[in-house]
Each structure stands twice: as C-alpha cells, then as structure tokens.
Coordinates of all heavy atoms in Angstrom, one line a residue:
M32 N -8.6 -7.7 -7.2 CA -9.7 -7.5 -6.4 C -9.3 -7.2 -5.0 O -8.6 -8.0 -4.3 CB -10.6 -8.7 -6.4 CG -11.9 -8.7 -5.8 SD -12.8 -10.0 -6.5 CE -14.2 -10.3 -5.8
S33 N -9.7 -6.0 -4.5 CA -9.2 -5.6 -3.1 C -10.1 -6.2 -2.1 O -11.3 -6.5 -2.4 CB -9.1 -4.2 -3.0 OG -10.4 -3.5 -3.2
A34 N -9.7 -6.2 -0.8 CA -10.4 -6.8 0.3 C -11.5 -5.8 0.7 O -11.4 -4.6 0.5 CB -9.6 -7.1 1.4
P35 N -12.7 -6.2 1.1 CA -13.7 -5.2 1.5 C -13.2 -4.4 2.7 O -12.4 -4.8 3.5 CB -14.9 -6.1 2.0 CG -14.5 -7.5 1.7 CD -13.1 -7.6 1.3
V36 N -13.7 -3.1 2.7 CA -13.3 -2.3 3.8 C -14.4 -2.3 4.8 O -15.6 -2.1 4.4 CB -13.1 -0.8 3.3 CG1 -12.9 0.1 4.5 CG2 -12.0 -0.7 2.3
G37 N -14.1 -2.5 6.1 CA -15.1 -2.6 7.1 C -15.2 -1.3 7.9 O -14.3 -0.4 7.7
P38 N -16.1 -1.2 8.9 CA -16.3 0.1 9.7 C -15.1 0.4 10.4 O -14.8 1.6 10.7 CB -17.3 -0.3 10.7 CG -18.1 -1.4 10.0 CD -17.1 -2.2 9.1
A39 N -14.1 -0.5 10.8 CA -12.9 -0.2 11.6 C -12.0 0.8 10.7 O -11.4 1.6 11.3 CB -12.1 -1.4 12.0
E40 N -12.0 0.6 9.3 CA -11.2 1.4 8.5 C -12.0 2.6 8.0 O -11.4 3.6 7.6 CB -10.8 0.6 7.3 CG -9.8 -0.6 7.7 CD -10.6 -1.8 8.0 OE1 -11.8 -1.9 7.7 OE2 -9.9 -2.7 8.7
D41 N -13.3 2.5 7.9 CA -14.1 3.6 7.3 C -15.4 3.7 8.1 O -16.3 2.8 7.9 CB -14.3 3.3 5.8 CG -15.2 4.4 5.2 OD1 -15.7 5.3 5.9 OD2 -15.4 4.3 4.0
P42 N -15.6 4.6 8.9 CA -16.9 4.7 9.7 C -18.2 4.9 8.8 O -19.2 4.6 9.4 CB -16.7 5.9 10.6 CG -15.6 6.8 9.9 CD -14.8 5.8 9.1
L43 N -18.0 5.2 7.5 CA -19.2 5.3 6.7 C -19.4 3.9 5.9 O -20.4 3.9 5.2 CB -19.0 6.4 5.8 CG -18.9 7.7 6.4 CD1 -18.7 8.8 5.3 CD2 -20.1 8.1 7.3
A44 N -18.6 2.9 6.1 CA -18.8 1.7 5.4 C -20.0 0.9 5.8 O -20.5 1.1 6.9 CB -17.5 0.8 5.7
V45 N -20.5 0.2 4.9 CA -21.7 -0.7 5.1 C -21.4 -2.1 5.1 O -20.5 -2.6 4.4 CB -22.7 -0.4 3.9 CG1 -23.9 -1.4 4.0 CG2 -23.2 1.0 3.9
T46 N -22.0 -2.8 6.1 CA -21.8 -4.3 6.1 C -23.2 -5.0 5.9 O -24.1 -4.5 6.5 CB -21.2 -4.8 7.4 OG1 -19.9 -4.1 7.6 CG2 -21.0 -6.3 7.5
V47 N -23.2 -6.0 5.1 CA -24.4 -6.7 4.8 C -24.5 -7.9 5.6 O -23.5 -8.6 5.5 CB -24.6 -7.0 3.3 CG1 -25.9 -7.8 3.0 CG2 -24.6 -5.7 2.5
V48 N -25.5 -8.2 6.4 CA -25.7 -9.4 7.1 C -26.8 -10.2 6.5 O -27.9 -9.7 6.4 CB -26.0 -9.2 8.6 CG1 -26.3 -10.5 9.4 CG2 -24.9 -8.3 9.2
V49 N -26.6 -11.5 6.1 CA -27.5 -12.3 5.5 C -27.7 -13.6 6.4 O -26.7 -14.3 6.8 CB -27.0 -12.8 4.1 CG1 -28.1 -13.8 3.5 CG2 -26.8 -11.7 3.2
A50 N -28.9 -13.7 7.0 CA -29.3 -14.8 7.7 C -29.9 -15.9 6.8 O -30.6 -15.7 5.9 CB -30.2 -14.6 8.8
T51 N -29.5 -17.2 6.9 CA -29.9 -18.2 5.9 C -30.0 -19.6 6.7 O -29.4 -19.8 7.7 CB -29.0 -18.4 4.8 OG1 -29.6 -19.2 3.8 CG2 -27.6 -18.8 5.1
R52 N -30.8 -20.5 6.0 CA -30.8 -21.9 6.5 C -31.2 -22.7 5.3 O -32.3 -22.6 4.6 CB -31.8 -22.0 7.6 CG -31.8 -23.5 8.2 CD -32.6 -23.6 9.4 NE -32.3 -24.9 10.1 CZ -33.1 -25.9 9.9 NH1 -34.2 -25.9 9.2 NH2 -32.9 -27.0 10.6
D53 N -30.4 -23.7 4.9 CA -30.8 -24.6 3.8 C -31.2 -24.0 2.5 O -32.1 -24.4 1.9 CB -31.8 -25.6 4.3 CG -31.3 -26.6 5.4 OD1 -30.1 -26.9 5.4 OD2 -32.1 -27.0 6.2
R54 N -30.4 -23.0 2.1 CA -30.7 -22.4 0.9 C -29.5 -22.0 0.1 O -29.2 -20.9 -0.4 CB -31.5 -21.0 1.2 CG -32.9 -21.2 1.7 CD -33.7 -19.9 1.8 NE -34.9 -20.2 2.5 CZ -36.1 -20.5 1.8 NH1 -36.0 -20.7 0.5 NH2 -37.1 -20.7 2.5
A55 N -28.6 -23.0 0.1 CA -27.3 -22.7 -0.5 C -27.3 -22.2 -2.0 O -26.6 -21.3 -2.3 CB -26.4 -24.1 -0.5
D56 N -28.2 -22.8 -2.8 CA -28.4 -22.2 -4.2 C -28.8 -20.8 -4.3 O -28.1 -20.0 -5.0 CB -29.3 -23.2 -5.0 CG -28.8 -24.6 -5.2 OD1 -27.6 -24.8 -5.1 OD2 -29.6 -25.5 -5.4
E57 N -29.8 -20.4 -3.6 CA -30.3 -19.0 -3.5 C -29.2 -18.2 -3.0 O -29.0 -17.0 -3.4 CB -31.6 -18.9 -2.8 CG -32.7 -19.6 -3.4 CD -33.0 -21.0 -2.9 OE1 -32.1 -21.5 -2.3 OE2 -34.1 -21.5 -3.0
L58 N -28.5 -18.6 -1.9 CA -27.5 -17.8 -1.3 C -26.4 -17.5 -2.2 O -25.9 -16.4 -2.3 CB -27.1 -18.4 0.0 CG -25.9 -17.7 0.8 CD1 -26.5 -16.4 1.3 CD2 -25.5 -18.6 2.0
E59 N -26.0 -18.4 -3.0 CA -24.9 -18.3 -4.0 C -25.2 -17.1 -4.9 O -24.4 -16.2 -5.2 CB -24.6 -19.5 -4.7 CG -23.4 -19.4 -5.7 CD -23.1 -20.7 -6.5 OE1 -23.8 -21.7 -6.2 OE2 -22.3 -20.6 -7.4
S60 N -26.4 -17.1 -5.4 CA -26.8 -16.1 -6.4 C -26.8 -14.7 -5.7 O -26.4 -13.7 -6.3 CB -28.3 -16.3 -6.8 OG -28.7 -15.4 -7.7
C61 N -27.3 -14.7 -4.5 CA -27.3 -13.4 -3.7 C -25.9 -12.9 -3.4 O -25.6 -11.7 -3.6 CB -28.0 -13.7 -2.3 SG -28.0 -12.3 -1.1
L62 N -25.0 -13.8 -3.0 CA -23.6 -13.4 -2.8 C -22.9 -12.9 -4.0 O -22.1 -12.0 -4.0 CB -22.9 -14.5 -2.1 CG -23.4 -14.8 -0.7 CD1 -22.6 -16.0 0.0 CD2 -23.3 -13.6 0.3
E63 N -23.2 -13.6 -5.1 CA -22.5 -13.1 -6.4 C -22.9 -11.7 -6.6 O -22.0 -10.9 -7.1 CB -23.0 -14.0 -7.6 CG -22.4 -15.3 -7.6 CD -23.0 -16.3 -8.6 OE1 -24.0 -16.0 -9.2 OE2 -22.4 -17.4 -8.8
R64 N -24.2 -11.3 -6.4 CA -24.6 -9.9 -6.6 C -24.0 -9.0 -5.6 O -23.5 -7.8 -5.9 CB -26.1 -9.8 -6.6 CG -26.7 -10.4 -7.9 CD -28.3 -10.2 -8.0 NE -29.0 -10.8 -6.9 CZ -29.6 -11.9 -7.0 NH1 -29.4 -12.7 -8.0 NH2 -30.3 -12.5 -5.9
L65 N -23.9 -9.4 -4.4 CA -23.3 -8.5 -3.3 C -21.8 -8.3 -3.5 O -21.4 -7.2 -3.3 CB -23.5 -9.2 -1.9 CG -24.9 -9.1 -1.4 CD1 -25.0 -9.9 -0.1 CD2 -25.4 -7.7 -1.2
V66 N -21.1 -9.3 -3.9 CA -19.6 -9.1 -4.0 C -19.4 -8.3 -5.3 O -18.3 -7.7 -5.4 CB -18.8 -10.5 -4.1 CG1 -19.0 -11.2 -2.8 CG2 -19.2 -11.3 -5.3
A67 N -20.3 -8.2 -6.2 CA -20.1 -7.3 -7.4 C -20.5 -5.9 -7.2 O -20.2 -5.1 -8.2 CB -21.0 -8.0 -8.6
L68 N -21.0 -5.5 -6.1 CA -21.4 -4.2 -5.9 C -20.1 -3.3 -5.9 O -19.1 -3.6 -5.4 CB -22.1 -4.0 -4.5 CG -23.5 -4.6 -4.5 CD1 -24.0 -4.5 -3.0 CD2 -24.4 -3.8 -5.4
P69 N -20.2 -2.1 -6.5 CA -19.1 -1.2 -6.6 C -18.7 -0.7 -5.2 O -17.6 -0.3 -4.9 CB -19.6 -0.1 -7.5 CG -21.1 -0.1 -7.5 CD -21.4 -1.5 -7.2
E70 N -19.6 -0.6 -4.3 CA -19.4 -0.1 -2.9 C -18.5 -1.1 -2.1 O -17.9 -0.7 -1.1 CB -20.6 0.2 -2.2 CG -21.5 1.3 -2.8 CD -22.3 0.7 -3.9 OE1 -22.4 -0.4 -4.3 OE2 -23.1 1.6 -4.6
R71 N -18.5 -2.4 -2.5 CA -17.7 -3.4 -1.9 C -18.0 -3.5 -0.4 O -17.1 -3.4 0.5 CB -16.3 -3.2 -2.1 CG -15.9 -3.0 -3.6 CD -14.6 -3.4 -4.2 NE -14.0 -4.5 -3.6 CZ -14.1 -5.8 -3.9 NH1 -14.9 -6.1 -4.9 NH2 -13.4 -6.7 -3.3
P72 N -19.3 -3.8 0.0 CA -19.6 -3.8 1.4 C -19.0 -5.1 2.1 O -18.8 -6.1 1.3 CB -21.1 -3.9 1.4 CG -21.5 -4.6 0.2 CD -20.4 -4.0 -0.8
G73 N -18.8 -5.1 3.3 CA -18.4 -6.2 4.0 C -19.7 -7.1 4.0 O -20.8 -6.6 3.9
I74 N -19.4 -8.4 4.0 CA -20.6 -9.4 4.0 C -20.4 -10.4 5.0 O -19.3 -11.0 5.2 CB -20.7 -10.0 2.6 CG1 -20.8 -9.0 1.5 CG2 -21.9 -11.0 2.6 CD1 -20.6 -9.6 0.1
I75 N -21.4 -10.6 5.9 CA -21.5 -11.6 6.9 C -22.7 -12.5 6.6 O -23.8 -12.0 6.5 CB -21.6 -11.0 8.3 CG1 -20.4 -10.1 8.6 CG2 -21.7 -12.1 9.3 CD1 -20.5 -9.3 9.9
V76 N -22.5 -13.9 6.5 CA -23.5 -14.8 6.4 C -23.6 -15.5 7.7 O -22.6 -16.1 8.2 CB -23.2 -15.8 5.3 CG1 -24.2 -16.9 5.3 CG2 -23.2 -15.1 3.9
V77 N -24.8 -15.5 8.3 CA -25.1 -16.3 9.5 C -25.9 -17.5 9.1 O -27.0 -17.3 8.7 CB -25.7 -15.4 10.6 CG1 -25.9 -16.2 11.8 CG2 -25.0 -14.1 10.8
D78 N -25.4 -18.6 9.3 CA -26.0 -19.8 8.9 C -26.8 -20.5 10.2 O -26.2 -20.8 11.2 CB -25.1 -20.9 8.3 CG -25.8 -22.1 7.9 OD1 -26.5 -22.1 6.9 OD2 -25.7 -23.1 8.6
N79 N -28.0 -20.7 10.0 CA -28.9 -21.2 11.0 C -29.0 -22.7 11.0 O -30.0 -23.3 10.7 CB -30.3 -20.7 10.9 CG -30.6 -19.4 11.7 OD1 -30.3 -19.3 12.9 ND2 -31.3 -18.4 11.2
A80 N -27.8 -23.3 11.2 CA -27.7 -24.8 11.4 C -28.1 -25.5 10.1 O -28.9 -26.5 10.2 CB -28.4 -25.3 12.6
S81 N -27.8 -25.1 8.9 CA -28.1 -25.7 7.7 C -27.7 -27.2 7.7 O -26.6 -27.6 8.2 CB -27.6 -25.0 6.5 OG -28.2 -23.8 6.3
S82 N -28.4 -28.0 7.0 CA -28.0 -29.4 6.8 C -27.5 -29.7 5.3 O -27.2 -30.8 5.0 CB -29.2 -30.3 7.1 OG -30.3 -30.1 6.2
D83 N -27.4 -28.6 4.5 CA -27.1 -28.8 3.2 C -25.6 -28.3 2.8 O -25.3 -28.2 1.7 CB -28.0 -28.0 2.3 CG -28.0 -26.4 2.4 OD1 -27.3 -26.0 3.3 OD2 -28.7 -25.7 1.6
G84 N -24.8 -28.1 3.8 CA -23.4 -27.7 3.7 C -23.3 -26.3 3.3 O -22.2 -25.9 2.8
T85 N -24.2 -25.4 3.6 CA -24.0 -23.9 3.3 C -22.8 -23.3 3.8 O -22.1 -22.7 3.0 CB -25.4 -23.2 3.9 OG1 -26.4 -23.7 3.1 CG2 -25.2 -21.7 3.6
P86 N -22.4 -23.4 5.1 CA -21.1 -22.7 5.5 C -19.9 -23.2 4.7 O -19.1 -22.3 4.3 CB -21.0 -23.1 7.0 CG -22.4 -23.5 7.4 CD -23.0 -24.1 6.2
K87 N -19.8 -24.5 4.4 CA -18.6 -24.9 3.7 C -18.6 -24.4 2.2 O -17.6 -23.9 1.7 CB -18.6 -26.4 3.7 CG -17.4 -27.1 3.0 CD -17.4 -28.6 3.1 CE -16.2 -29.1 2.4 NZ -16.2 -30.6 2.5
A88 N -19.8 -24.4 1.7 CA -19.9 -23.9 0.3 C -19.6 -22.4 0.2 O -18.9 -22.0 -0.8 CB -21.3 -24.2 -0.3
V89 N -20.1 -21.7 1.1 CA -19.9 -20.2 1.1 C -18.3 -20.0 1.3 O -17.7 -19.1 0.6 CB -20.7 -19.4 2.2 CG1 -20.2 -18.0 2.3 CG2 -22.1 -19.5 1.8
R90 N -17.7 -20.6 2.2 CA -16.3 -20.4 2.5 C -15.5 -20.8 1.2 O -14.5 -20.1 0.9 CB -15.9 -21.2 3.7 CG -16.4 -20.6 5.0 CD -15.8 -21.6 6.2 NE -16.4 -21.0 7.4 CZ -17.2 -21.7 8.3 NH1 -17.5 -22.9 8.0 NH2 -17.7 -21.1 9.4
A91 N -15.9 -21.8 0.5 CA -15.1 -22.2 -0.6 C -15.2 -21.2 -1.8 O -14.3 -21.0 -2.5 CB -15.5 -23.7 -1.0
A92 N -16.5 -20.8 -2.0 CA -16.8 -20.0 -3.2 C -16.5 -18.5 -3.0 O -16.2 -17.7 -3.9 CB -18.2 -20.2 -3.6
F93 N -16.7 -18.1 -1.7 CA -16.6 -16.6 -1.4 C -15.7 -16.4 -0.1 O -16.1 -16.1 0.9 CB -17.9 -16.0 -1.1 CG -18.9 -16.2 -2.2 CD1 -19.8 -17.3 -2.3 CD2 -19.0 -15.3 -3.3 CE1 -20.7 -17.5 -3.3 CE2 -19.9 -15.5 -4.3 CZ -20.7 -16.5 -4.3
P94 N -14.4 -16.6 -0.3 CA -13.4 -16.5 0.8 C -13.5 -15.1 1.5 O -13.0 -15.1 2.7 CB -12.1 -16.8 0.2 CG -12.2 -16.7 -1.2 CD -13.7 -16.9 -1.6
A95 N -13.9 -14.1 0.9 CA -13.9 -12.7 1.5 C -15.1 -12.6 2.5 O -15.2 -11.6 3.2 CB -13.8 -11.6 0.5
V96 N -16.1 -13.5 2.3 CA -17.3 -13.4 3.0 C -17.1 -14.1 4.4 O -16.6 -15.2 4.5 CB -18.5 -14.1 2.3 CG1 -19.7 -14.2 3.2 CG2 -18.8 -13.4 1.0
Q97 N -17.4 -13.4 5.5 CA -17.3 -14.0 6.8 C -18.6 -14.8 7.1 O -19.7 -14.4 6.9 CB -17.3 -12.8 7.8 CG -17.0 -13.3 9.3 CD -16.9 -12.1 10.3 OE1 -16.8 -11.0 9.9 NE2 -16.9 -12.5 11.5
V98 N -18.3 -16.0 7.6 CA -19.4 -17.0 7.9 C -19.4 -17.3 9.4 O -18.4 -17.6 10.0 CB -19.2 -18.4 7.1 CG1 -20.3 -19.3 7.4 CG2 -19.0 -18.1 5.6
V99 N -20.7 -17.2 9.9 CA -20.9 -17.5 11.3 C -21.9 -18.7 11.2 O -23.0 -18.6 10.8 CB -21.6 -16.3 12.1 CG1 -21.9 -16.8 13.5 CG2 -20.7 -15.2 12.1
A100 N -21.4 -19.9 11.6 CA -22.2 -21.1 11.6 C -22.8 -21.4 13.0 O -22.0 -21.7 13.9 CB -21.4 -22.3 11.1
L101 N -24.1 -21.2 13.1 CA -24.7 -21.4 14.3 C -25.0 -22.9 14.6 O -25.3 -23.6 13.7 CB -26.0 -20.7 14.5 CG -25.9 -19.2 14.3 CD1 -27.3 -18.5 14.3 CD2 -25.1 -18.6 15.4
P102 N -24.9 -23.4 15.9 CA -25.1 -24.8 16.1 C -26.6 -25.2 16.0 O -26.9 -26.4 16.0 CB -24.5 -25.0 17.5 CG -24.6 -23.7 18.1 CD -24.4 -22.7 17.0
R103 N -27.4 -24.3 16.2 CA -28.9 -24.6 16.0 C -29.6 -23.4 15.4 O -29.1 -22.3 15.3 CB -29.5 -24.9 17.4 CG -29.4 -23.7 18.4 CD -30.0 -24.1 19.8 NE -29.8 -23.1 20.7 CZ -30.7 -22.3 21.0 NH1 -31.9 -22.3 20.5 NH2 -30.5 -21.3 22.0
N104 N -30.8 -23.6 14.9 CA -31.6 -22.6 14.1 C -32.1 -21.6 15.2 O -32.9 -22.0 16.1 CB -32.8 -23.2 13.5 CG -33.5 -22.3 12.6 OD1 -33.3 -21.1 12.7 ND2 -34.5 -22.8 11.9
L105 N -31.7 -20.3 15.1 CA -32.2 -19.3 16.0 C -33.1 -18.3 15.3 O -33.5 -17.3 15.8 CB -31.0 -18.5 16.6 CG -30.0 -19.3 17.4 CD1 -28.8 -18.4 17.9 CD2 -30.7 -19.9 18.7
G106 N -33.5 -18.7 14.1 CA -34.5 -17.8 13.3 C -33.8 -16.5 13.1 O -32.7 -16.2 12.8
A107 N -34.7 -15.4 13.2 CA -34.3 -14.0 13.0 C -33.3 -13.5 13.9 O -32.6 -12.5 13.7 CB -35.6 -13.2 13.1
V108 N -33.0 -14.2 15.1 CA -32.0 -13.8 16.0 C -30.6 -13.8 15.3 O -29.7 -13.2 15.7 CB -32.0 -14.6 17.3 CG1 -30.8 -14.3 18.2 CG2 -33.3 -14.4 18.0
A109 N -30.5 -14.6 14.3 CA -29.3 -14.8 13.5 C -28.8 -13.4 13.0 O -27.6 -13.1 13.0 CB -29.4 -15.9 12.4
R110 N -29.7 -12.6 12.5 CA -29.3 -11.3 12.0 C -28.6 -10.5 13.1 O -27.6 -9.8 12.9 CB -30.5 -10.6 11.5 CG -31.0 -11.0 10.2 CD -32.0 -10.1 9.5 NE -33.2 -10.0 10.3 CZ -34.2 -10.8 10.2 NH1 -34.2 -11.8 9.3 NH2 -35.2 -10.7 10.9
S111 N -29.2 -10.5 14.3 CA -28.6 -9.8 15.5 C -27.2 -10.4 15.8 O -26.3 -9.6 16.1 CB -29.5 -9.9 16.7 OG -30.7 -9.2 16.4
M112 N -27.1 -11.6 15.6 CA -25.7 -12.2 15.9 C -24.7 -11.8 14.9 O -23.5 -11.6 15.2 CB -25.9 -13.7 16.0 CG -26.8 -14.2 17.1 SD -26.6 -15.9 17.6 CE -25.0 -15.8 18.3
G113 N -25.2 -11.7 13.6 CA -24.3 -11.2 12.6 C -23.9 -9.7 12.7 O -22.7 -9.4 12.6
V114 N -24.8 -8.9 13.3 CA -24.4 -7.5 13.6 C -23.4 -7.4 14.8 O -22.5 -6.7 14.7 CB -25.7 -6.7 13.9 CG1 -25.3 -5.3 14.4 CG2 -26.6 -6.6 12.7
E115 N -23.7 -8.4 15.8 CA -22.7 -8.3 16.9 C -21.3 -8.8 16.4 O -20.3 -8.4 17.0 CB -23.2 -9.3 18.0 CG -24.3 -8.7 18.7 CD -24.9 -9.7 19.8 OE1 -24.4 -10.7 20.0 OE2 -26.0 -9.3 20.4
T116 N -21.2 -9.7 15.4 CA -20.0 -10.2 14.9 C -19.2 -9.1 14.3 O -18.0 -9.0 14.3 CB -20.3 -11.3 13.8 OG1 -20.9 -12.4 14.5 CG2 -19.0 -11.8 13.3
E117 N -19.9 -8.2 13.6 CA -19.3 -7.1 12.8 C -18.6 -6.2 13.8 O -17.6 -5.9 13.9 CB -20.5 -6.4 12.1 CG -20.1 -5.6 10.9 CD -19.5 -4.3 11.2 OE1 -20.0 -3.5 12.1 OE2 -18.4 -3.9 10.6

C-alpha cells in the first residue's frame, strides 16, 4: 500500500478534510471507505475536542491519516483549519 500523494507532489491531487466530534465509530466507517478509494486522496481529520478518544483511535487505526486535535470545539471552523493544515 503506497502513501497518499498530496498537492505538493501532484497539483491535481485531492485532499479530504473531515471535521468530527465524539463520533469515533461513525468516523472509523467513513475512513475505511476513504482509504479504500482508488484515487488515494490525502485525508485530514480535524477533531473538535472529542471526549471519546477519537484522535488516538484514528492515529492507531489509520496511520496515514493526518489528525489535527483541537483543544476546544470550533464547530464548522474546523474544516477551514484542516484546509490550512493541508
């Protein structure tokens, strides 16, 4: 399994940003589908201060996924923070 290619290597590459909070189970299902895509997009998860261990779980199960763990819930602003991270 090769590493995802990001915009730095390919200007036509796509990166998916997922904002989440306290939805580790649903997020796992979502990430399983995203990592299986043939296009192999970069994936960034922005966690809005979850209390259910989401960042740790994502890092353990999906090491190729970049995780941004916010110290407090910023709501929809999290998506913008994920884009800035990219």
Side-chain angles (χ1 to χ4, degrees):
M32 187 162 170
S33 63
V36 174
E40 296 83 22
D41 180 357
L43 300 178
V45 172
T46 299
V47 177
V48 176
V49 179
T51 190
R52 184 166 194 266
D53 291 330
R54 296 186 184 269
D56 292 338
E57 294 94 340
L58 182 60
E59 180 179 359
S60 177
C61 173
L62 293 176
E63 286 172 352
R64 289 189 294 270
L65 288 172
V66 299
L68 290 171
E70 297 84 2
R71 310 209 27 91
I74 304 166
I75 300 171
V76 170
V77 184
D78 180 73
N79 266 318
S81 290
S82 61
D83 67 353
T85 296
K87 184 178 179 180
V89 171
R90 288 181 181 119
F93 302 95
V96 172
Q97 184 175 354
V98 178
V99 177
L101 301 178
R103 63 186 176 93
N104 184 356
L105 298 178
V108 172
R110 284 189 298 271
S111 297
M112 298 199 68
V114 171
E115 289 176 7
T116 300
E117 204 279 318

